[in-house]
Amino acid sequence: MIRTLILFLTLGALAACGMHTNNDPSQMAKATPTQHKALSLVPQPAFVEHRLGYLNLSTSVNVKIRHDTPDSEYALLALLDSLNIKQDKNDSVAIYLQLDDSLGLGDEGYQLLIDNNVTLSAATDTGLFYAVQTLRQLLPVKASTEYKLPKLNIRDEPQYAWRGSMLDVARNFFSIDYLKQHIERIALFKLNKLHLHLTDDQGWRIEIKSWPKLATVGGSTQVNGGVGGYYTQEQMHDLVKFAARHQIELIPEIDLPGHTQAAIAAYNELACDSVIFSQPQNKCDDVVGPQRLALYEGTCVGFSALCTSEKPDLVYGFVEDVLREIAHIFPSKYLHIGGDEVLNEEAAAFPAFITEVDRIVASLGRETLAWEEASAGDIRASSLLQFWNDDYDISSALEKGIHLVLSPCSFTYLDHGNYNGQPGAYTWCRAEGIPLQRVYSLVPENYKQVIGVEAAMWSEAVPNDATADNRNWPRLAAISEVAWSTQNNRDYDAFTRRLSALRAHLDQLGIEYYKEPQLGWE
Ligand code: TNX
């Protein structure tokens, strides 16, 4: 609040001095003293002040790292290296990377000043990392002999603390290499959470040492019967570090108590003993009789659940073992416990289950994050719920003070088409698909108690990396701006012009994006 006020006062004061605060590119060209080209930045920064002229950066520069800020230092040096810009202590142009806690731009904010030098300042290494990403977008991707940087002062900070991308690695398995690529890509757009949907009916993707068959058996297939796969704990430890160096937190999801067929196939005793004699209420016709204890390669949802009603000791012991190991691997404040779509015999036991699992999460010193249906349980007010059905009544949770991660399916479910009728895409939430403009039109400010926004890429219909790229990009860039930039700073036409110009950056990252006509990428 105070920060917003300070920013507001600063903006007011600067506007009064005749400085330029309008970020609409067409306005910008008119109002600025020089004919600067509109900046191609996504997400749009909070405040851009244009100054006269350009700074010419040559093939060398004097890099001055003032403090111990390893992640932004690494990112800056990698950027310079990619452009073949050498460090030279005697160069007349310097790039300063420095901590400054007087900026009033929060933990993630930064200032990027380009005058006769380039000065990146922030209160944290994270803020500096974002300053580097902005600089990266201002520079081309190909090395040249001279770079013309517009003189300016950018002061920037995100509106929301949670800016997420979810990958469903359970329905189809994705390699560690792909996850690393994805981290590098979303980092350019200042996204800061990578939510891994690690378990579902079709696959259990994380090694659990106390229940080893979860991964070796539960991870041995995927939708349509591929070989599946799982991540070892060591690989995930390494990925946690890799993500952290990109200011991205991995959020592990163990989907409970439903979406657990892979676990049940590995350990049949987790299901109710009578399960093979009953038909799940949601009529997944392909899962009856012995199939209710077997691996599953189809795409029906809601038929599986752990048997809390008859075997509470076994089930809660299992959950505790799993979450203890998960908490050991992932340092995140929040553990995602799933909680969606329990549509079988265990529906009645669901609220009490959620209450108990929140208690287990608390005993591990963590907070609970769960899909919206978990509002049926008595969970702590410090929990987060992930809102996914556009019209879900979440008021009981809001009254408790619980905050929301917004993933309303008709705006953020990227397994839906980039356009109406895209082959292979899901349509259940929005028949016309979810085009870029639709994603961009989400207004998080219209919801209450929002911590941020997350796009979900479910993978029942996403069998490979290229399809995942096509579904995620360029729409994740829209998610980034919706989560980072305030509503008065968002404008779809301006966004498309800015993003359109960043195509070379996406190409450089090897992204096989959908060639969105509205960006002129056909
Ligand atoms: C709903 S969203 C699901 C997922 C599916 C997805 C397909 C949510 C919590 N559950 O299990 O993969 O729809 O779009």
Side-chain angles (χ1 to χ4, degrees):
M1 183 64 200
I2 290 179
R3 228 199 294 141
T4 316
L5 194 66
I6 292 171
L7 187 69
F8 194 71
L9 292 173
T10 316
L11 292 179
L14 290 170
C17 304
M19 285 183 188
H20 179 70
T21 60
N22 190 327
N23 289 315
D24 180 284
S26 56
Q27 297 288 313
M28 219 180 270
K30 267 181 261 152
T32 43
T34 50
Q35 292 303 307
H36 275 313
K37 239 175 68 198
L39 304 176
S40 296
L41 297 173
V42 175
Q44 175 66 23
F47 176 64
V48 182
E49 175 210 329
H50 291 273
R51 297 190 172 179
L52 269 174
Y54 289 86
L55 167 65
N56 290 322
L57 196 64
S58 74
T59 51
S60 67
V61 70
N62 185 2
V63 177
K64 297 203 166 216
I65 312 282
R66 305 268 208 199
H67 304 97
D68 182 26
T69 51
D71 298 338
S72 54
E73 175 178 343
Y74 183 83
L76 176 62
L77 298 184
L79 170 63
L80 297 177
D81 199 45
S82 73
L83 293 170
N84 243 324
I85 300 173
K86 304 269 178 273
Q87 289 192 52
D88 178 354
K89 294 267 168 267
N90 299 315
D91 205 281
S92 58
V93 177
I95 298 184
Y96 297 96
L97 190 72
Q98 61 188 31
L99 292 175
D100 179 347
D101 52 21
S102 72
L103 294 169
L105 293 168
D107 284 350
E108 295 190 292
Y110 66 90
Q111 175 171 285
L112 172 60
L113 173 65
I114 303 177
D115 49 15
N116 294 331
N117 297 297
V118 178
T119 308
L120 295 79
S121 322
T124 63
D125 198 7
T126 303
L128 287 175
F129 183 87
Y130 293 143
V132 173
Q133 301 316 311
T134 298
L135 181 61
R136 192 172 157 199
Q137 292 190 354
L138 289 173
L139 286 163
V141 296
K142 288 218 169 67
S144 93
T145 49
E146 196 177 57
Y147 306 90
K148 252 175 119 151
L149 285 170
K151 292 190 175 175
L152 51 71
N153 189 20
I154 293 177
R155 288 172 56 82
D156 196 11
E157 66 175 331
Q159 168 158 233
Y160 294 111
W162 192 288
R163 304 179 301 279
S165 159
M166 189 208 83
L167 295 182
D168 171 4
V169 296
R171 270 57 176 271
N172 272 292
F173 184 67
F174 291 88
S175 68
I176 290 280
D177 281 351
Y178 185 73
L179 299 186
K180 287 187 172 170
Q181 267 182 358
H182 190 68
I183 286 166
E184 285 173 340
R185 295 161 171 186
I186 64 178
L188 176 63
F189 292 93
K190 305 184 177 86
L191 294 177
N192 67 349
K193 309 285 176 196
L194 174 57
H195 166 181
L196 295 177
H197 183 74
L198 288 167
T199 67
D200 213 300
D201 293 319
Q202 300 85 348
W204 185 286
R205 308 295 177 206
I206 177 80
E207 174 190 22
I208 300 295
K209 297 190 182 198
S210 53
W211 295 73
K213 286 194 289 176
L214 289 171
T216 56
V217 175
S220 64
T221 189
Q222 58 189 11
V223 165
N224 293 330
V227 292
Y230 66 88
Y231 312 114
T232 65
Q233 295 199 358
E234 203 180 328
Q235 283 177 318
M236 275 295 130
H237 274 297
D238 172 63
L239 195 71
V240 165
K241 280 192 229 143
F242 183 87
R245 288 202 297 275
H246 294 80
Q247 315 312 305
I248 289 168
E249 186 170 56
L250 293 190
I251 307 295
E253 179 186 352
I254 302 296
D255 202 347
L256 302 165
H259 289 269
T260 41
Q261 190 63 23
I264 288 167
Y267 294 98
N268 288 175
E269 62 271 32
L270 292 170
C272 292
D273 296 334
S274 58
V275 87
I276 54 171
F277 303 112
S278 66
Q279 166 91 25
Q281 285 151 27
N282 68 329
K283 305 218 174 32
C284 289
D285 292 337
D286 55 339
V287 200
V288 288
Q291 294 306 320
R292 297 205 66 188
L293 298 175
L295 289 169
Y296 183 65
E297 295 163 356
T299 56
C300 197
V301 294
F303 59 87
S304 61
L306 307 176
C307 189
T308 334
S309 58
E310 291 167 22
K311 307 175 184 179
D313 293 348
L314 174 77
V315 167
Y316 291 127
F318 167 79
V319 170
E320 200 161 344
D321 288 344
V322 169
L323 292 183
R324 193 186 326 105
E325 293 194 34
I326 290 294
H328 186 69
I329 307 166
F330 298 93
S332 58
K333 176 175 175 189
Y334 297 94
L335 302 182
H336 202 311
I337 60 159
D340 57 319
E341 297 175 317
V342 179
L343 308 172
N344 74 355
E345 304 84 347
E346 285 298 294
F350 175 73
F353 174 87
I354 293 295
T355 306
E356 182 59 19
V357 175
D358 180 48
R359 202 197 55 75
I360 294 172
V361 173
S363 76
L364 295 167
R366 305 299 173 91
E367 300 291 347
T368 293
L369 164 60
W371 298 106
E372 63 197 11
E373 295 100 307
S375 57
D378 185 16
I379 58 178
R380 288 168 292 163
S382 52
S383 305
L384 295 179
L385 288 175
Q386 190 160 4
F387 180 81
W388 65 280
N389 279 294
D390 288 27
D391 54 1
Y392 192 83
D393 179 5
I394 196 80
S395 54
S396 65
L398 294 178
E399 277 158 26
K400 257 193 207 165
I402 288 173
H403 281 64
L404 304 180
V405 175
L406 295 180
S407 303
C409 60
S410 82
F411 296 91
T412 69
Y413 269 29
L414 303 186
D415 58 347
H416 284 54
N418 285 286
Y419 58 92
N420 194 350
Q422 182 169 25
Y426 265 34
T427 52
W428 67 265
C429 181
R430 193 164 193 268
E432 319 87 287
I434 308 181
L436 184 66
Q437 185 159 12
R438 169 78 186 175
V439 177
Y440 196 82
S441 72
L442 174 64
V443 180
E445 291 87 345
N446 287 347
Y447 299 77
K448 286 187 201 132
Q449 289 160 226
V450 171
I451 189 171
V453 179
E454 185 173 295
M457 214 274 310
W458 300 101
S459 70
E460 288 101 322
V462 181
N464 52 43
D465 298 357
T467 310
D469 279 10
N470 175 282
R471 298 298 187 269
N472 271 324
W473 301 99
R475 291 182 290 181
L476 276 180
I479 291 288
S480 121
E481 186 149 311
V482 167
W484 181 282
S485 313
T486 50
Q487 192 176 5
N488 64 326
N489 240 340
R490 299 198 302 268
D491 172 273
Y492 184 67
D493 289 338
F495 166 74
T496 56
R497 284 194 290 274
R498 285 181 279 109
L499 180 56
S500 176
L502 290 173
R503 183 177 189 175
H505 282 78
L506 271 71
D507 285 331
Q508 186 200 32
L509 289 163
I511 302 178
E512 296 184 63
Y513 47 80
Y514 165 62
K515 296 195 174 74
E516 171 58 69
Q518 296 210 338
L519 298 173
W521 287 1
E522 284 156 294

